[in-house]
Structures are given as structure tokens and as C-alpha cells.
Amino acid sequence: MTEQINALIGKLLDEHRLSAKEYEALIAGRDAEAAEILAGAASEVSRRIYGNAIYFRGLIEISNICKNNCLYCGIRRGNTDCVRYRLTPEEILECADEGYSLGFRTIVMQGGEDPYYTDEMVCSLIREIKRRHPDCAVTLSLGERSRESYAALREAGADRYLLRHETANKAHYARLHPAEMSFDNRMRCLRDLRELGYQVGCGFMVGSPFQTNAHIAEDLKFIEEFQPEMCGIGPFIPHEKTPFRDHPAGTLELTCFLLSVIRLICPTTLLPATTALGTIDPLGREKGILAGANVVMPNLSPTSVRKKYELYDGKICTGDESAQCVRCMAARMESIGYRMVVDRGDVKK
Ligand code: 5AD
Ligand code: FES
């Protein structure tokens, strides 16, 4: 490790921020030793705040129908080979009940941008989950909606919203998305969610096509400024039925390095070790936790639809019953000295 990298790590530890140029230099100049030091510091910070707790969130993939056509995503509307499904409100509530009995106290409803789920429908789902399970947090991950829509969902009781910014660089955003999607609207959504009182999650893919270290530095500056309650990062993984089928996947190494950096920028933020990380390496999620992550999101979707929610090739956990997945994840966390925690797991302020 060079003296310069050592100094940058010291500065990040002390000040929780670097300039964009410094982030870029840190990423470009990293080596195994730098990664180890950062991971050690990041997991120490995480342990100081959250102990050895890993927060479990139950993820229900309510629909793979999407009006958007993001170039990287396997459920883009242009993928005509994708077999589409929608869960009915009854099915979603059954999944939430099952999640509750498995111990989850955060239910995440995620889906493509499917206009079928009107505000009225999502609001009544939120109200019903809260009526049945008042001690549960409800998290939504339903893409870009109007401010009025976000306000109605919040009013109905939604606590949190996950919307990855995908990239903080406008030109890069335009290379990952079709012309009808806009970076400015994405940012508008994130600002609205914040103003409406949601706990907000942003995030990006590591190794997305055309991504440079300078772009990642911009993502880190954005995270510094936005101070998200949650930050989802995982490797890009190509999907064979998308225009990016021939682009290489992001790496475990860089993803873990960035998890550590983000933990040091935002010590209290909730950082998931994502399914994508577990897909590119059999121990990816464990390695993510050891680099500073503190959340996992096992799948609660009915087994019958799991394979269809394929954002990228080779997604893991698509054949398992929810209960199996929870047991497996709990054992994985115990194997590295952490424990599954099933309370709401709100961000510590
Ligand atoms: N590889 C990895 N992550 C992906 N996502 C979408 N497509 C892919 C892919 N091919 C991520 C996006 C989105 C989140 C739900 O999944 O960042 O916001
Ligand atoms: Fe799903 Fe291991 S976490 S099977």
C-alpha cells in the first residue's frame, strides 16, 4: 500500500469524507492491504453502533411487469422472453403473514413499475399489513412515482422507500437508460421521498457498463451529501436478454471495498449485503457483512414466481421456500459471528 493510500484512509476515518478526486485516487490505488484495513475499520464502526446484529428484511417481489426499459435489467419491457406475473393483494398479504411468522418485522414490497398497482391498491395493502402487524415496518421499492403518490403511500403508513439512484452522473445515467427516463426525475423522486418523511434508500450497481472510477467518486459524493438511511450496492450482473448481455459483471472485490468506504462515510447507515453479491460468489453476502454491511433481505416471494423475477442471470435462492432461506441466512450469519435480528431495525441516528 502506498503512503498516499494510507493517508487517504486516515483522512476518511477522521473526517467521513474525501474530495471527489481523493475518492477516485483511493479506488484507483487500492490493493489487498488497503481493502483489509478499510474492511477492519468499517466492521468495527458497524459493531460499535449495531453490535453483531444483522437486520433481516423480508422481500416480496410483487410484480415483474415493468413499463420501463432500463438497459441492464432483465425485467425491462423490451425483454419479450420474460414470463410476466403479478401477485394479487391476497397473495401479497399471505407472504407478509408468512414473513411475520418467520420473525420478520420489516416487510419490503418490491416490483417493476407496474401501473396496475394504483395508489388506492398499494395504500390498502399498506393499511392491511399495518392492521395485521402493527409492529412491522413497511418498506416500498416500486420505482418512480409522482410526489402525490409518494405522499398518499406515506399517509397510508409506509415507513421507508428504496430507490437506487443508479449513478450520480447524468451522462452515465443516460447510457444506462432509454431516452424517456431522466436523471432529473430520479433525483426529484429521492428528494420528494426525503421531504415526505420516509427513511430513504439510494444506491448503485458496481461495475455497471461504462462506469469509471470518477463516476463512483460522484456516487460517493452524492451519498455523503444525501446521507441516506439505507444504501443498496451490488455488482452489475449481465442478463442474457438485455442489450448489456456481453458486458462483464462487477467484482466482489470492488463491491466489498465500496461497502467499507460507504460504512465509513455514513457510519449509521443500513447497508445490505445483496443477493447479487451472493450470486457472484457463494460466500458473497458473508464477505459483504465482513466488509461493513449489516442487512440481508431474504426472499419471501412465493416459490412459483421466484425464477421470473430475474433482474440478472443466475440469481440465487429462486428454488427455496421462504423458511429455508431464512434458516440458511441465519446460519450463514452465525458462521461469521453475527446474529439474525428480527426487530424493525430502524436506522440509529
Ligand atoms: N445486475 C445487478 N443489479 C441489477 N439491478 C437491475 N438490473 C441489474 C443487473 N443486471 C438492480 C438495480 C435496481 C435494483 C432493484 O436491482 O440497481 O435498482
Ligand atoms: Fe436463500 Fe441460502 S439464503 S437459500
Side-chain angles (χ1 to χ4, degrees):
M1 189 174 61
T2 62
E3 199 35 57
Q4 184 206 15
I5 295 297
N6 193 29
L8 289 173
I9 292 176
K11 184 169 176 192
L12 181 60
L13 278 166
D14 289 346
E15 300 177 17
H16 308 294
R17 57 181 303 143
L18 296 176
S19 70
K21 282 285 168 227
E22 287 171 329
Y23 282 128
E24 204 182 324
L26 179 63
I27 297 162
R30 72 187 192 281
D31 61 9
E33 190 188 358
E36 203 181 308
I37 292 175
L38 275 180
S43 55
E44 199 182 301
V45 165
S46 175
R47 267 184 190 266
R48 200 177 65 231
I49 300 166
Y50 292 104
N52 68 346
I54 299 298
Y55 296 106
F56 276 51
R57 319 301 203 190
L59 182 68
I60 308 174
E61 295 153 337
I62 68 170
S63 167
N64 72 349
I65 297 179
C66 192
K67 68 176 199 280
N68 285 337
N69 214 18
C70 306
L71 277 72
Y72 44 83
C73 187
I75 65 169
R76 66 201 301 269
R77 71 164 191 271
N79 179 7
T80 49
D81 289 334
C82 176
V83 181
R84 306 289 169 170
Y85 75 89
R86 245 175 212 146
L87 298 184
T88 63
E90 292 69 35
E91 288 172 313
I92 296 170
L93 291 168
E94 266 172 46
C95 290
D97 290 344
E98 190 188 2
Y100 190 85
S101 56
L102 288 169
F104 290 101
R105 294 297 175 268
T106 293
I107 299 296
V108 186
M109 287 191 267
Q110 183 173 85
E113 290 191 17
D114 181 354
Y116 171 80
Y117 295 92
T118 58
D119 291 348
E120 294 69 49
M121 211 163 149
V122 183
C123 284
S124 72
L125 271 169
I126 298 166
R127 286 200 197 91
E128 182 58 17
I129 294 175
K130 288 274 180 170
R131 189 188 67 77
R132 296 186 187 185
H133 311 297
D135 52 339
C136 266
V138 172
T139 302
L140 303 176
S141 179
L142 300 173
E144 298 178 12
R145 300 175 82 100
S146 66
R147 184 180 174 105
E148 294 67 41
S149 169
Y150 289 146
L153 303 174
R154 175 91 183 109
E155 186 71 20
D159 302 279
R160 310 179 182 144
Y161 205 103
L162 309 179
L163 183 72
R164 291 190 178 178
H165 64 285
E166 310 296 358
T167 169
N169 178 282
K170 196 167 176 166
H172 186 216
Y173 190 93
R175 297 188 77 178
L176 300 179
H177 300 94
E180 77 249 17
M181 288 180 72
S182 103
F183 175 79
D184 293 338
N185 194 50
R186 197 78 170 179
M187 290 293 159
R188 188 274 304 160
C189 289
L190 286 167
R191 270 195 312 275
D192 282 347
L193 290 164
R194 170 58 58 75
E195 285 169 18
L196 291 163
Y198 285 91
Q199 296 173 36
V200 184
C202 66
F204 63 95
M205 291 178 289
V206 176
S208 62
F210 319 115
Q211 185 183 56
T212 62
N213 291 341
H215 293 144
I216 300 174
E218 286 186 63
D219 289 318
L220 297 173
K221 288 308 283 181
F222 172 71
I223 289 164
E224 226 181 50
E225 178 224 335
F226 189 68
Q227 291 287 323
E229 282 80 15
M230 281 157 279
C231 186
I233 70 163
F236 161 74
I237 303 173
H239 186 290
E240 60 170 340
K241 298 291 163 54
T242 64
F244 290 159
R245 63 182 69 85
D246 294 325
H247 284 263
T251 65
L252 173 80
E253 180 273 322
L254 182 54
T255 307
C256 287
F257 187 83
L258 293 171
L259 283 169
S260 302
V261 172
I262 295 168
R263 169 64 62 212
L264 295 170
I265 296 172
C266 303
T268 60
T269 200
L270 294 159
L271 272 182
T274 57
T275 305
L277 197 55
T279 296
I280 57 164
D281 184 300
L283 294 177
R285 288 164 298 182
E286 290 87 332
K287 290 170 183 169
I289 300 290
L290 294 169
N294 65 338
V295 173
V296 291
M297 302 173 71
N299 202 313
L300 283 181
S301 308
T303 319
S304 58
V305 305
R306 291 236 187 144
K307 276 202 179 23
K308 298 178 186 147
Y309 200 84
E310 206 186 44
L311 308 184
Y312 45 80
D313 289 333
K315 186 174 166 209
I316 54 169
C317 299
T318 57
D320 303 279
E321 294 292 337
S322 304
Q324 280 175 298
C325 242
V326 173
R327 269 198 302 277
C328 168
M329 276 306 300
R332 284 168 180 272
M333 296 300 106
E334 275 161 34
S335 77
I336 52 168
Y338 288 80
R339 72 195 157 91
M340 158 175 172
V341 167
V342 292
D343 66 22
R344 283 172 49 116
D346 283 298
V347 70
K348 300 214 159 92
K349 281 286 178 186

Tab-separated table of all heavy atoms in Angstrom, residues 72-73 110 164 166 186 205 235-239 276 311-312, ligand 1:
chain	number	residue	atom	x	y	z
A	72	TYR	N	-30.006	-2.461	-18.455
A	72	TYR	CA	-29.318	-3.514	-17.699
A	72	TYR	C	-30.261	-4.568	-17.131
A	72	TYR	O	-29.832	-5.615	-16.689
A	72	TYR	CB	-28.540	-2.885	-16.527
A	72	TYR	CG	-29.328	-1.827	-15.760
A	72	TYR	CD1	-30.226	-2.182	-14.769
A	72	TYR	CD2	-29.173	-0.466	-16.065
A	72	TYR	CE1	-30.956	-1.217	-14.094
A	72	TYR	CE2	-29.902	0.505	-15.395
A	72	TYR	CZ	-30.794	0.121	-14.419
A	72	TYR	OH	-31.521	1.068	-13.749
A	73	CYS	N	-31.548	-4.282	-17.117
A	73	CYS	CA	-32.454	-5.055	-16.258
A	73	CYS	C	-33.211	-6.153	-16.997
A	73	CYS	O	-33.820	-5.904	-18.049
A	73	CYS	CB	-33.444	-4.102	-15.596
A	73	CYS	SG	-34.476	-4.957	-14.374
A	110	GLN	N	-41.402	-5.011	-3.313
A	110	GLN	CA	-40.626	-4.517	-4.452
A	110	GLN	C	-41.289	-4.976	-5.739
A	110	GLN	O	-41.892	-6.043	-5.777
A	110	GLN	CB	-39.202	-5.066	-4.383
A	110	GLN	CG	-38.307	-4.546	-5.508
A	110	GLN	CD	-36.853	-4.964	-5.337
A	110	GLN	OE1	-36.464	-6.046	-5.732
A	110	GLN	NE2	-36.049	-4.085	-4.749
A	164	ARG	N	-32.851	3.134	-5.841
A	164	ARG	CA	-31.437	3.374	-6.145
A	164	ARG	C	-31.296	4.537	-7.119
A	164	ARG	O	-32.071	4.632	-8.069
A	164	ARG	CB	-30.818	2.119	-6.744
A	164	ARG	CG	-30.700	0.985	-5.737
A	164	ARG	CD	-29.874	-0.104	-6.348
A	164	ARG	NE	-29.673	-1.212	-5.431
A	164	ARG	CZ	-29.001	-2.308	-5.766
A	164	ARG	NH1	-28.474	-2.414	-6.987
A	164	ARG	NH2	-28.834	-3.272	-4.894
A	166	GLU	N	-28.843	4.780	-9.036
A	166	GLU	CA	-28.205	4.033	-10.146
A	166	GLU	C	-26.868	4.618	-10.583
A	166	GLU	O	-25.926	3.871	-10.813
A	166	GLU	CB	-29.121	3.845	-11.368
A	166	GLU	CG	-30.522	3.293	-11.079
A	166	GLU	CD	-30.565	1.870	-10.505
A	166	GLU	OE1	-29.505	1.243	-10.339
A	166	GLU	OE2	-31.680	1.405	-10.179
A	186	ARG	N	-35.338	11.092	-11.427
A	186	ARG	CA	-34.857	10.175	-10.392
A	186	ARG	C	-34.500	10.968	-9.128
A	186	ARG	O	-34.880	10.622	-8.019
A	186	ARG	CB	-33.616	9.460	-10.927
A	186	ARG	CG	-33.230	8.227	-10.169
A	186	ARG	CD	-34.134	7.129	-10.571
A	186	ARG	NE	-33.754	5.830	-10.090
A	186	ARG	CZ	-34.470	4.736	-10.339
A	186	ARG	NH1	-35.580	4.777	-11.055
A	186	ARG	NH2	-34.098	3.572	-9.870
A	205	MET	N	-25.190	0.195	-8.879
A	205	MET	CA	-24.540	-1.068	-9.226
A	205	MET	C	-23.044	-0.837	-9.381
A	205	MET	O	-22.615	0.164	-9.958
A	205	MET	CB	-25.093	-1.605	-10.551
A	205	MET	CG	-26.532	-2.061	-10.457
A	205	MET	SD	-27.159	-2.637	-12.049
A	205	MET	CE	-27.297	-1.095	-12.949
A	235	PRO	N	-23.065	-5.848	-7.224
A	235	PRO	CA	-22.406	-5.892	-8.533
A	235	PRO	C	-23.420	-5.914	-9.668
A	235	PRO	O	-24.479	-6.539	-9.548
A	235	PRO	CB	-21.635	-7.218	-8.484
A	235	PRO	CG	-22.405	-8.071	-7.515
A	235	PRO	CD	-22.939	-7.114	-6.478
A	236	PHE	N	-23.116	-5.238	-10.766
A	236	PHE	CA	-23.863	-5.438	-12.006
A	236	PHE	C	-23.612	-6.869	-12.464
A	236	PHE	O	-22.479	-7.356	-12.391
A	236	PHE	CB	-23.385	-4.446	-13.075
A	236	PHE	CG	-23.774	-4.877	-14.466
A	236	PHE	CD1	-25.097	-4.761	-14.896
A	236	PHE	CD2	-22.838	-5.447	-15.330
A	236	PHE	CE1	-25.476	-5.197	-16.173
A	236	PHE	CE2	-23.204	-5.878	-16.608
A	236	PHE	CZ	-24.520	-5.751	-17.022
A	237	ILE	N	-24.667	-7.541	-12.895
A	237	ILE	CA	-24.526	-8.892	-13.466
A	237	ILE	C	-25.311	-8.899	-14.776
A	237	ILE	O	-26.482	-8.525	-14.790
A	237	ILE	CB	-25.097	-9.970	-12.508
A	237	ILE	CG1	-24.409	-9.906	-11.136
A	237	ILE	CG2	-24.949	-11.366	-13.122
A	237	ILE	CD1	-25.022	-10.834	-10.076
A	238	PRO	N	-24.669	-9.269	-15.884
A	238	PRO	CA	-25.397	-9.194	-17.154
A	238	PRO	C	-26.564	-10.182	-17.213
A	238	PRO	O	-26.513	-11.243	-16.599
A	238	PRO	CB	-24.321	-9.558	-18.194
A	238	PRO	CG	-23.275	-10.302	-17.446
A	238	PRO	CD	-23.292	-9.783	-16.038
A	239	HIS	N	-27.602	-9.783	-17.927
A	239	HIS	CA	-28.736	-10.667	-18.192
A	239	HIS	C	-28.738	-10.923	-19.693
A	239	HIS	O	-28.637	-9.993	-20.488
A	239	HIS	CB	-30.033	-9.993	-17.746
A	239	HIS	CG	-31.229	-10.886	-17.839
A	239	HIS	ND1	-31.762	-11.283	-19.037
A	239	HIS	CD2	-31.991	-11.471	-16.875
A	239	HIS	CE1	-32.818	-12.071	-18.811
A	239	HIS	NE2	-32.968	-12.200	-17.502
A	276	ALA	N	-27.335	-10.024	-5.231
A	276	ALA	CA	-26.402	-10.007	-6.371
A	276	ALA	C	-24.986	-10.357	-5.905
A	276	ALA	O	-24.246	-11.067	-6.590
A	276	ALA	CB	-26.425	-8.638	-7.055
A	311	LEU	N	-33.662	-10.211	-12.467
A	311	LEU	CA	-33.084	-8.952	-12.934
A	311	LEU	C	-31.770	-9.207	-13.655
A	311	LEU	O	-31.347	-8.434	-14.503
A	311	LEU	CB	-32.837	-8.010	-11.753
A	311	LEU	CG	-34.022	-7.746	-10.811
A	311	LEU	CD1	-33.644	-6.720	-9.756
A	311	LEU	CD2	-35.253	-7.289	-11.577
A	312	TYR	N	-31.107	-10.321	-13.285
A	312	TYR	CA	-29.801	-10.678	-13.868
A	312	TYR	C	-29.713	-12.184	-13.893
A	312	TYR	O	-30.476	-12.880	-13.200
A	312	TYR	CB	-28.662	-10.073	-13.022
A	312	TYR	CG	-28.854	-10.248	-11.531
A	312	TYR	CD1	-28.537	-11.448	-10.917
A	312	TYR	CD2	-29.407	-9.234	-10.744
A	312	TYR	CE1	-28.752	-11.633	-9.549
A	312	TYR	CE2	-29.622	-9.412	-9.388
A	312	TYR	CZ	-29.289	-10.612	-8.800
A	312	TYR	OH	-29.512	-10.801	-7.462
B	1	5AD	N1	-27.381	-6.604	-12.235
B	1	5AD	C1	-27.350	-6.175	-10.959
B	1	5AD	N2	-28.301	-5.404	-10.407
B	1	5AD	C2	-29.341	-5.057	-11.184
B	1	5AD	N3	-30.410	-4.292	-10.930
B	1	5AD	C3	-31.169	-4.251	-12.041
B	1	5AD	N4	-30.606	-4.979	-13.015
B	1	5AD	C4	-29.454	-5.479	-12.513
B	1	5AD	C5	-28.416	-6.278	-13.045
B	1	5AD	N5	-28.430	-6.707	-14.314
B	1	5AD	C6	-30.576	-3.539	-9.690
B	1	5AD	C7	-30.834	-2.066	-9.985
B	1	5AD	C8	-32.211	-1.837	-9.386
B	1	5AD	C9	-32.311	-2.942	-8.364
B	1	5AD	C10	-33.704	-3.307	-7.964
B	1	5AD	O1	-31.667	-4.024	-8.972
B	1	5AD	O2	-29.853	-1.259	-9.327
B	1	5AD	O3	-32.363	-0.567	-8.799
